[in-house]
Amino acid sequence: MSELRQAARIARTSALYEVLQPGRLAGAGAQLALQIFLTWCLWRALYDAVAASSGLDQGQAVSYAVLATLYGRLRGPDRDVAGDTVRQHIWSGSIVYWYLRPITPRRYHWLRAVGDQAYGLAWAAVTYAVCRALGLVGAPASAEAGALFGLTLLLGQIVLYYLLALVDVACFWTLRNFGVLAIVRLASSLFAGAIVPLWFFPGWFQAISSWLPFESSLHVPLSLYVGRIAPADAGRYVLVQAIWIVLLAVALRLAWRRADQQIVVQGG
Amino acid sequence: MLTWRFITMSVKSAIEHRADFFFMILVGAIWQVTVVAFATVLITRFPGMGGWTPGAILLMTAVRSGGHTLAGSFFMGARQISELTREGRIDAFLLRPMPVYRQVMLNYFHVPMLGDLAVTGVLFTIAARYLDVDWTPWRVAYLVAAVLGAMLLEAAVQTFLGSFALRHPAAKQWQEWTEDLMATFGNYPLNILPNLARAVFVFVLPIAFCGYLPVAFLTGHTTELPVPVWVAAASPGIGALLFVAALGWWARRLGRYESVGG
């Protein structure tokens, strides 16, 4: 029980960091509301002159775009702001404290991520309910599509966690990760369909996306939600997600093991 | 001379971590793919937006993106004010024989700049190909002025918000949010938005002057403007005026600066 309580105390850190600062909290809410409103206006305007494009009608495209905006909030607050990333601790030397605590660095890192994700999920769930009530987002294409949306969204977030954790842990060797992080963030938006749904892109672009882990985080769940991917075809995508999870989990485990063995705090 | 030494030191500092330097260049390349992909989608999948042709929208994107690239190259330091204050480095800047603002701006070298400039060039080329506009010398000159105005306007917004970071580190979040907002919604004709939102983007967060208004004037999309045509035409000048005002605000805030060390 005390272990569970300890885990909960670690997990809630980022949420408390934001909740206890009304300015930051209000800013996050205003930002999300404005982004959703503008995205909704934008996609409605694009469909003014066409009934459907690339297999998506206006309702599907608007729902996809608004949900993609919510997805941005799903990963929780930016931990960089709170100064608790591996890079920041390596730079200041305080990474050594991660190795002195009665919890392994790997588990601490994972618990923080779970907490951030749960907090982000709460934001996304409340905002989704408001959007549904206001008619900004349509209902799932079917009950089955809704369930598969939930499953693939969960698997997609696990894939993304492993990717971002790998980038974070890589700082044990690279010391800085601004470049890699920027690439992963940009790629995870572009190749996941968060900027423009992947259905609008040319075939070659979709082919590249299908080889990368990013599309499973957003494109697949949202396409299931709006009915662009039929539930009967979902098995293939779930399998791809599972393969990515296994590959990335193994890579992360190896990376942590190597990091634990070679940690050097600046100054020796 | 001193300024040049600051620039070379910033470049050396960026190159020190070679892997990260390489990846930052790669970021610029991926961003190019993003923008070109966006252009491809717009041109091939939709006939336009809000009465604007894809070519005119692309020109708007190119102007805003060009301004953003230049602002990122010369004024990116405004985004670092929060960290510089927290680490007490502003104190050191105050002791050196160079204006603090210039030191803040020279403190950071924006690596993907060259890639970003290439994107802007590609966008201008695509837009010019799809637009039926006679590119007279004065139009080209106005276009250059519009890009510079967009740069100054973005620098003004970041400087204004960054000034708050001298006392409130959370201002950085607002800077990032504003940059995202400008990058996302500066690329579209704002007449697709309701009147209130349009007014906000003209009078509160003046995104409209970065691309929408100058390009509307240049391409003749002047029927649904939220301001008189002469105001739209004066967009580059308005960007410059706002930048001067932001510098004044920075000087005022810096005068009230208190070190984190007390």
Side-chain angles (χ1 to χ4, degrees):
Chain A
M1 184 61 194
S2 67
E3 212 169 284
L4 253 181
R5 196 173 299 144
Q6 182 197 45
R9 285 172 73 103
I10 294 170
R12 69 183 184 173
T13 313
S14 295
L16 282 179
Y17 184 78
E18 189 163 281
V19 168
L20 294 177
Q21 298 183 75
R24 197 176 284 278
L25 196 64
Q31 178 181 359
L32 188 60
L34 190 60
Q35 273 178 335
I36 289 173
F37 171 67
L38 294 174
T39 303
W40 182 77
C41 289
L42 182 72
W43 282 92
R44 283 176 64 88
L46 267 176
Y47 270 89
D48 261 357
V50 290
S53 181
S54 304
L56 290 173
D57 62 27
Q58 190 190 56
Q60 287 174 308
V62 170
S63 291
Y64 188 119
V66 172
L67 288 172
T69 309
L70 278 184
Y71 160 83
R73 182 67 228 193
L74 202 57
R75 294 215 66 78
D78 186 358
R79 209 183 309 161
D80 204 78
V81 178
D84 197 29
T85 61
V86 172
R87 172 180 52 77
Q88 286 161 317
H89 285 298
I90 292 222
W91 269 87
S92 66
S94 51
I95 191 73
V96 71
Y97 296 114
W98 281 27
Y99 287 87
L100 297 175
R101 292 171 180 160
I103 180 170
T104 63
R106 195 173 63 185
R107 186 168 163 75
Y108 173 78
H109 194 271
W110 180 75
L111 283 172
R112 287 296 310 270
V114 168
D116 290 2
Q117 190 84 56
Y119 179 62
L121 185 65
W123 265 91
V126 170
T127 316
Y128 170 77
V130 173
C131 288
R132 286 278 290 121
L134 294 174
L136 303 180
V137 173
S142 65
E144 198 184 357
L148 283 167
F149 160 75
L151 173 68
T152 51
L153 187 70
L154 174 70
L155 294 176
Q157 289 302 305
I158 296 173
V159 171
L160 211 51
Y161 159 71
Y162 280 125
L163 262 178
L164 291 172
L166 269 171
V167 173
D168 217 13
V169 175
C171 280
F172 280 99
W173 294 274
T174 61
L175 296 184
R176 266 167 63 137
N177 67 349
F178 294 115
V180 185
L181 203 58
I183 286 179
V184 170
R185 281 187 181 154
L186 196 60
S188 69
S189 292
L190 177 66
F191 292 108
I195 296 171
V196 177
L198 292 182
W199 301 111
F200 291 108
F201 285 105
W204 61 266
F205 190 92
Q206 292 186 38
I208 293 173
S209 294
S210 68
W211 285 98
L212 298 173
F214 306 110
E215 76 161 27
S216 69
S217 63
L218 179 77
H219 172 71
V220 171
L222 291 193
S223 297
L224 280 161
Y225 184 95
V226 301
R228 185 64 176 77
I229 293 178
D233 298 332
R236 183 166 66 88
Y237 294 100
V238 172
L239 181 66
V240 171
Q241 285 180 315
I243 291 171
W244 272 116
I245 287 172
V246 172
L247 290 176
L248 292 169
V250 170
L252 183 63
R253 200 176 179 81
L254 287 174
W256 268 119
R257 193 175 295 165
R258 293 287 297 275
D260 294 345
Q261 286 164 0
Q262 68 101 54
I263 178 167
V264 173
V265 175
Q266 284 188 347
Chain B
M1 187 60 190
L2 198 57
T3 302
W4 178 247
R5 286 186 68 180
F6 265 82
I7 293 171
T8 51
M9 280 166 69
S10 296
V11 175
K12 278 182 187 167
S13 155
I15 295 175
E16 186 190 352
H17 300 277
R18 286 187 191 156
D20 200 55
F21 182 75
F22 168 74
F23 280 118
M24 285 304 279
I25 291 174
L26 209 59
V27 168
I30 295 182
W31 190 73
Q32 289 175 44
V33 174
T34 313
V35 177
V36 174
F38 156 79
T40 313
V41 167
L42 196 65
I43 288 170
T44 55
R45 307 294 182 196
F46 296 97
M49 185 196 289
W52 287 53
T53 58
I57 297 172
L58 278 183
L59 186 65
M60 194 189 322
T61 307
V63 169
R64 196 214 59 81
S65 148
H68 175 69
T69 300
L70 294 176
S73 307
F74 301 116
F75 300 97
M76 190 61 137
R79 288 266 308 275
Q80 316 293 323
I81 294 170
S82 173
E83 282 93 341
L84 294 174
T85 305
R86 201 169 52 209
E87 292 166 7
R89 292 174 62 192
I90 296 285
D91 297 20
F93 289 176
L94 282 164
L95 297 174
R96 293 177 183 159
M98 186 188 280
V100 174
Y101 188 76
R102 200 186 303 166
Q103 291 184 66
V104 170
M105 297 310 139
L106 294 179
N107 178 61
Y108 182 81
F109 176 68
H110 188 53
V111 180
M113 175 182 71
L114 291 176
D116 293 357
L117 281 175
V119 176
T120 306
V122 170
L123 274 177
F124 273 121
T125 311
I126 301 175
R129 200 178 143 199
Y130 280 87
L131 262 179
D132 189 19
V133 170
D134 182 17
W135 289 105
T136 56
W138 93 262
R139 273 208 172 97
V140 174
Y142 184 83
L143 194 64
V144 172
V147 172
L148 293 176
M151 171 191 77
L152 289 173
L153 195 136
E154 189 162 334
V157 170
Q158 290 297 328
T159 301
F160 175 74
L161 292 173
S163 302
F164 288 99
L166 285 171
R167 289 180 81 92
H168 308 288
K172 181 164 186 180
Q173 190 195 18
W174 288 90
Q175 285 179 287
E176 286 175 357
W177 177 43
T178 310
E179 189 183 333
D180 275 356
L181 210 60
M182 292 178 87
T184 311
F185 293 97
N187 298 331
Y188 307 112
L190 296 181
N191 58 317
I192 62 167
L193 299 177
N195 288 337
L196 180 66
R198 234 186 301 177
V200 167
F201 286 147
V202 173
F203 300 108
V204 183
L205 177 63
I207 291 175
F209 294 98
C210 282
Y212 173 56
L213 292 176
V215 174
F217 170 70
L218 200 62
T219 55
H221 289 86
T222 50
T223 47
E224 284 186 88
L225 291 184
V227 291
V229 177
W230 67 267
V231 175
S235 294
I238 290 171
L241 275 178
L242 287 174
F243 179 63
V244 172
L247 281 183
W249 177 249
W250 160 264
R252 243 181 97 177
R253 299 289 299 182
L254 189 65
R256 298 175 63 183
Y257 170 73
E258 286 176 19
S259 168
V260 283

